[in-house]
């Protein structure tokens, strides 16, 4: 009997190497959980038919001595990632029945090591949302409290891991979509430096913001997966950075942490969550850090800037979904224009339509909004860069609220958007950021803290994350 | 925002939309615009020509797939095709 609740990648690797169980047996343990829990939680949209074939290939690697840490590790992936020959829909009706004609570079990197992808998991449609309620294929429930949302947009990948239906998973993030669902499901979530991981084969939402990253039970698991995702992909992706240029700006570490004044005071933050956050600062103090309250004049504008840049990119990006080359298409239309109107009107869900229209608006009037947002984005990045010359990290809550009830906030878009208020600075500036679980509230809901570091200090984050994990556990 | 603004934007974006949805959207977008209008009061540093942090890298303009090697996979997704072309509805 495999104790999957106590499993990490290294433990599984050790057991597979020693032959305590086979890759098939490991995968079957997860498939059994999925069979029991998925009908209610709806984390997975599809379990791949070739799981056992993948398992056999991985087992061969153990036989011929080419196994790595990730060989045979059962993972879940988000429905916006392409594997040749498999369906991918970005949880949208407009991509219903679409079969990928190529494999995403980041996923290929993992496939080369022999991971097993169990299936594709639910998300907000085209990753637009913070609760996995905008999917065309039903909501996903939070395994820790099934009346609540798992967060989003990577709610499926988060729920899959939290219900022990995968050892870890791949999510993608445009603004908080890995970190926030990780925090809602009691997991570690990591958003890498922009340009670290290839975006080829990841269905784009906001091109200047999107990155792929892991959700896992431990920082070490997230680190192992992230390191395997990373590559320079000049042939297929224009945004990955050459390896030799992935060098952080030189700085002297100060053992000081910056906490924005609003987060210290708890403005707009759930009371219980804020208490947990303040307690987590004691863990940093126990690690030898000094906590200082810092006021950031521009950071509070981050989410507003994001809600200009993102819809602008969304509206241009989703232009390609026209029903001509792939995906859903209107059955009856008298001419090409009506065909487009109907295909897109029927195929896109409500939130996608809303953001496409918002994007069209912010790009109108000579792009006045958009240009102002770009200038602010640059200024926010500078503000953050300067902070990192004096402070090792910026620490905040992940989201301002605890996991909320299903159905909440759906009729108030701005209230939903606020779930990402602490996420935006890292996405706008390209900085790496990690969400770490810090314990449960009295009613059993997970709380979390977020650490952000300068660009290309992804490894520094894993180091501090692991130290935090150890210190927090031993307290 | 007026209903007519929404209808015009929807038409620009090639999205068919009922009047009822357009009315709901006008209200939602008004609330969103109130939020994003913050950027107009943000203290902006003086305008300078900045080189954006992110720039697109472009690969050499050479054929990297042998001709026809991926055509079948791509065509397999198109709803309508004829003689090696994707077929569209009449334009006029």
């Amino acid at each position: 009997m495999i104790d999957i609740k106590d499993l990490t990648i290294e433990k599984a690797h050790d057991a597979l190497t020693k032959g305590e169980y086979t890759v098939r047996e490991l995968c079957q343990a997860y498939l059994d959980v999925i069979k029991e829990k998925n009908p209610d939680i709806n984390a997975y949209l599809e379990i791949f038919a070739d799981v056992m074939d993948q398992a056999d290939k991985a087992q061969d690697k153990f036989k011929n001595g080419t196994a790595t840490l990730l060989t045979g590790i059962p993972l879940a992936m988000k429905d916006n990632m392409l594997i040749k020959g498999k369906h991918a829909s970005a949880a949208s009706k407009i991509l219903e029945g679409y079969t990928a004609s190529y494999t995403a570079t980041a996923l290929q990197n993992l496939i080369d090591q022999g991971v097993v992808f169990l299936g594709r998991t639910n998300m907000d449609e085209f990753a637009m949302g913070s609760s996995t309620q905008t999917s065309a294929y039903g909501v996903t429930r939070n395994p820790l409290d099934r009346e609540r949302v798992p967060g989003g947009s990577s709610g499926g990948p988060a729920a899959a891991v939290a219900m022990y239906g995968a050892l870890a998973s791949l999510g993608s993030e445009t603004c908080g979509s890995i970190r926030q669902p990780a925090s809602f499901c009691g997991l570690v979530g990591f958003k890498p430096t922009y340009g670290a991981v290839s975006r080829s084969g990841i269905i784009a939402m906001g091109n200047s913001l999107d990155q792929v990253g892991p959700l896992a039970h431990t920082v070490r698991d997230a680190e192992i997966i992230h390191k395997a995702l990373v590559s320079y992909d000049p042939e297929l992706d224009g945004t990955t950075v050459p390896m030799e240029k992935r060098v952080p700006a030189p700085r002297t570490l100060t053992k000081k942490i910056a906490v924005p004044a609003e987060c210290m005071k708890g403005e707009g933050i759930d009371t219980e969550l804020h208490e947990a956050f303040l307690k987590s600062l004691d863990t940093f103090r126990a690690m030898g850090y000094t906590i200082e309250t810092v006021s950031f004049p521009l950071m509070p504008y981050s989410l507003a800037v994001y809600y200009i840049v993102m819809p602008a990119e969304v509206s241009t990006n989703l232009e390609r979904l026209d029903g001509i080359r792939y995906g859903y298409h209107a059955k009856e239309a008298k001419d090409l224009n009506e065909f487009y109107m109907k295909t897109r009107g029927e195929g896109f869900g409500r939130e996608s339509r809303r953001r496409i229209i918002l994007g069209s608006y912010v790009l109108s009037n000579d792009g006045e909004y958009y240009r102002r947002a770009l200038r602010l984005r640059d200024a926010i990045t500078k503000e953050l860069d300067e902070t990192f010359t004096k402070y090792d990290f910026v620490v905040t809550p992940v989201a301002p609220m605890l996991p909320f009830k299903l159905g909440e906030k759906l009729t108030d878009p701005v209230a939903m958007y606020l779930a990402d208020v602490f996420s935006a600075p890292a996405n706008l500036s390209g900085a790496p950021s990690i969400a770490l679980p810090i314990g449960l509230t009295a009613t059993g809901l997970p709380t979390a803290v977020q650490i952000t570091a300068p660009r290309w200090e992804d490894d520094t984050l894993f180091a501090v994350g692991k130290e935090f994990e150890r210190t927090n556990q031993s307290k | 925002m007026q209903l007519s603004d929404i209808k015009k934007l929807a038409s620009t974006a090639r999205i068919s939309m009922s009047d009822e949805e357009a009315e709901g959207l006008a209200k939602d977008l008004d609330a969103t615009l109130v939020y994003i209008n913050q950027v107009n009061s943000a203290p902006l540093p003086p305008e300078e020509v900045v080189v954006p942090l992110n720039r697109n890298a472009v690969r050499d303009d050479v054929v990297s797939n042998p001709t026809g090697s991926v055509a079948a996979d791509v065509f397999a997704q198109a709803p309508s095709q004829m003689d090696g072309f994707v077929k569209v509805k009449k334009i006029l």
Side-chain angles (χ1 to χ4, degrees), chain A residues 41-42 45 91 122-124 132-141:
Chain A
I41 291 175
N42 195 34
L45 297 177
N122 206 6
M123 55 187 283
D124 283 295
T132 316
Q133 296 183 97
T134 70
S135 166
Y137 305 101
V139 301
T140 296
R141 292 172 181 271

Side-chain angles (χ1 to χ4, degrees), chain A residues 171-182:
Chain A
S172 71
E173 168 154 339
T174 308
C175 185
S177 277
I178 293 170
R179 290 169 287 161
Q180 185 257 16

Side-chain angles (χ1 to χ4, degrees), chain A residues 55-181:
Chain A
D56 290 344
K57 274 190 200 156
Q59 196 67 51
D60 287 344
K61 284 183 180 282
F62 281 97
K63 278 185 209 141
N64 65 26
T66 57
T68 67
L69 270 180
L70 280 169
T71 306
I73 300 300
L75 301 180
M77 55 186 259
K78 194 173 177 177
D79 189 30
N80 62 349
M81 302 175 173
L82 307 190
I83 294 181
K84 188 174 176 176
K86 294 193 192 306
H87 287 307
S89 76
S92 178
K93 190 179 163 190
I94 208 164
L95 278 172
E96 204 171 60
Y98 170 71
T99 304
S101 55
Y102 64 105
T103 300
T105 304
L107 274 76
Q108 187 62 53
N109 292 343
L110 298 192
I111 292 168
D112 290 345
Q113 293 204 34
V115 305
V116 177
F117 283 113
L118 297 172
R120 58 188 172 100
T121 53
N122 206 6
M123 55 187 283
D124 283 295
E125 185 186 9
F126 284 105
M128 298 180 201
S130 311
S131 66
T132 316
Q133 296 183 97
T134 70
S135 166
Y137 305 101
V139 301
T140 296
R141 292 172 181 271
N142 190 326
L144 279 70
D145 180 340
R146 295 190 187 186
E147 296 310 308
R148 291 175 192 270
V149 301
S153 64
S154 307
V161 179
M163 74 181 193
Y164 297 98
L167 212 169
S169 62
L170 301 184
S172 71
E173 168 154 339
T174 308
C175 185
S177 277
I178 293 170
R179 290 169 287 161
Q180 185 257 16

Side-chain angles (χ1 to χ4, degrees), chain A residues 371-389:
Chain A
R371 280 186 291 137
R372 194 167 175 90
L374 286 188
R375 280 177 67 197
L376 261 172
R377 179 182 190 173
D378 197 58
I380 289 165
T381 305
K382 269 192 193 148
E383 183 178 270
L384 208 52
D385 286 350
E386 274 160 30
T387 307
F388 287 132
T389 63

Side-chain angles (χ1 to χ4, degrees), chain A residues 115-352:
Chain A
V115 305
V116 177
F117 283 113
L118 297 172
R120 58 188 172 100
T121 53
N122 206 6
M123 55 187 283
D124 283 295
E125 185 186 9
F126 284 105
M128 298 180 201
S130 311
S131 66
T132 316
Q133 296 183 97
T134 70
S135 166
Y137 305 101
V139 301
T140 296
R141 292 172 181 271
N142 190 326
L144 279 70
D145 180 340
R146 295 190 187 186
E147 296 310 308
R148 291 175 192 270
V149 301
S153 64
S154 307
V161 179
M163 74 181 193
Y164 297 98
L167 212 169
S169 62
L170 301 184
S172 71
E173 168 154 339
T174 308
C175 185
S177 277
I178 293 170
R179 290 169 287 161
Q180 185 257 16
S183 81
F184 274 22
C185 291
L187 303 172
V188 173
F190 178 72
K191 197 287 278 185
T193 300
Y194 184 85
V197 179
S198 172
R199 292 171 40 252
S200 172
I202 310 302
I203 298 170
M205 174 179 168
N207 308 42
S208 74
L209 303 149
D210 298 344
Q211 278 291 285
V212 169
L215 295 94
H217 286 291
T218 66
V219 177
R220 176 65 183 141
D221 281 358
E223 180 183 25
I224 293 168
I225 294 169
H226 167 70
K227 292 204 160 148
L229 288 169
V230 160
S231 65
Y232 175 47
D233 190 19
E235 187 66 22
L236 296 169
D237 175 54
T239 63
T240 50
V241 172
M243 287 299 176
E244 69 276 11
K245 289 191 177 162
R246 301 182 180 195
V247 186
R251 62 176 188 149
T252 315
L253 294 178
T254 57
K255 275 276 171 185
K256 285 200 296 188
I257 281 172
V259 176
E262 298 82 356
C263 297
M264 212 49 131
K265 278 183 273 182
E267 275 170 21
I269 302 172
D270 174 89
T271 318
E272 257 186 303
L273 180 61
H274 187 240
E275 274 171 30
F277 171 71
L278 292 181
K279 234 193 258 172
S280 79
L281 297 180
D282 287 337
T283 306
F284 287 107
R285 291 188 185 101
M287 289 156 64
Y289 286 96
T290 309
I291 310 288
E292 284 187 21
T293 307
V294 176
S295 96
F296 292 85
L298 293 172
M299 198 193 273
Y301 296 99
S302 297
L303 193 66
V305 170
Y306 172 73
Y307 267 92
I308 295 169
V309 174
M310 175 273 296
E313 293 186 11
V314 160
S315 75
T316 41
N317 232 333
L318 299 191
E319 247 174 68
R320 69 184 184 282
L321 293 149
D322 55 12
I324 303 278
R325 289 154 301 160
Y326 49 81
Y328 174 85
H329 54 99
K331 305 293 173 282
E332 301 282 331
K334 65 178 190 314
D335 58 21
L336 189 61
N337 194 50
E338 192 181 296
F339 177 82
Y340 287 147
M341 299 286 288
K342 279 191 171 174
T343 296
R344 290 164 61 81
E346 293 161 9
F348 284 124
R350 201 180 168 85
E351 184 63 23
S352 298

